[in-house]
Amino acid sequence: MTIKPLIILPDPVLRQSSKPVERVDAPLRKLADDMLATMYDAPGIGLAAIQVGEPVRMLVIDLAKEDEAPAPHVFINPEILESADARSVYEEGCLSIPDYYAEVERPAGVRVKYLDRDGKEQEIMADGLMATCLQHEIDHLNGVLFIDHISKLKRDIVMRKFKKLAKDKPASRMVG
Ligand code: NI
C-alpha cells in the first residue's frame, strides 16, 4: 500500500467533478487500498479519490476509534437515494483543508446505494457520524467542500489563509 500526497486547498483539482467508475478491477482496488493507507496515515476518517488526485467516484471511510479494530469501508459510485428531514450538526474537518474545523448542518440520515470493493451493489441506511461523513465525501466527488456549507464570510477567511499558505510554499504541491 502506498501513502499518496494529498491535494490541498486552494488546488483547483478539488473543484473537479469525478467520473463514475466503469469497472471494479485490481487497479481500482489498489487505489482503494492506497487511499485507506493515506487516510490512516493522516489520520482521518474519510477520503475521496479526488483528494489524492484521482477523479473517480470512489471514497473510503473508517469510523473505528483508536482502540478499536479497523473497520474500512469502500464506496464506489455512491448515490444518495433519500435524505432525512431531520438535521444534525457536526464539527467537520477535511484532510484537504488541514487544521480548520467548522460546524456544518446536514440531513441527519441518508440512504445510499453503492458498489463495494467486489463490485457488488449495496445499500446503506446511515445516521450519526456515518451519515455526515458519507455526505461530506460524496460532496467531494461533485467538487464541493465542507466550507461551501458555512457562511461566505468564514469561507472567504479560510480561502485567503490557504491561498497565502500556497503562495508562501509554491513547491509544496505534488501530484500522486
Ligand atoms: Ni474532506
Side-chain angles (χ1 to χ4, degrees):
M1 288 199 277
T2 312
I3 293 166
K4 299 204 164 220
L6 288 162
I7 306 284
I8 304 293
L9 194 75
D11 196 317
V13 167
L14 293 170
R15 292 308 189 175
Q16 274 183 36
S17 207
S18 295
K19 291 196 178 66
V21 169
E22 278 166 21
R23 229 180 37 199
V24 180
D25 52 12
L28 190 83
R29 276 190 282 271
K30 163 88 169 77
L31 174 61
D33 289 340
D34 290 348
M35 285 167 60
L36 283 163
T38 304
M39 180 183 80
Y40 291 135
D41 178 67
I45 57 170
L47 187 73
I50 192 68
Q51 292 179 274
V52 293
E54 300 286 345
V56 294
R57 301 187 81 81
M58 176 162 72
L59 54 94
V60 296
I61 292 176
D62 189 336
L63 302 180
K65 302 211 173 65
E66 250 177 77
D67 55 346
E68 293 172 350
H73 294 277
V74 178
F75 298 88
I76 299 162
N77 295 343
E79 215 178 296
I80 295 175
L81 301 175
E82 236 182 321
S83 300
D85 292 332
R87 317 278 289 182
S88 66
V89 176
Y90 273 96
E91 185 167 70
E92 296 188 23
C94 181
L95 294 179
S96 295
I97 313 174
D99 302 318
Y100 181 75
Y101 303 89
E103 288 194 336
V104 176
E105 190 186 292
R106 300 180 186 269
V110 282
R111 188 159 67 89
V112 173
K113 75 166 188 182
Y114 63 99
L115 301 177
D116 64 18
R117 56 177 296 141
D118 298 316
K120 239 180 90 189
E121 254 192 57
Q122 304 280 359
E123 215 176 281
I124 181 175
M125 289 278 280
D127 59 9
L129 185 56
M130 182 57 104
T132 288
C133 201
L134 271 169
Q135 290 173 83
H136 175 121
E137 302 306 336
I138 291 171
D139 269 356
H140 272 300
L141 305 183
N142 299 319
V144 175
L145 301 171
F146 84 93
I147 54 171
D148 298 337
H149 297 288
I150 63 178
S151 74
K152 184 175 183 309
L153 181 70
K154 282 191 198 165
R155 184 166 57 252
D156 286 348
I157 293 170
V158 182
M159 286 305 299
R160 262 206 301 279
K161 183 185 150 194
F162 278 87
K163 276 181 188 158
K164 185 170 183 308
L165 281 174
K167 214 164 69 188
D168 293 348
K169 289 190 294 179
S172 68
R173 186 186 161 200
M174 296 183 289
V175 177

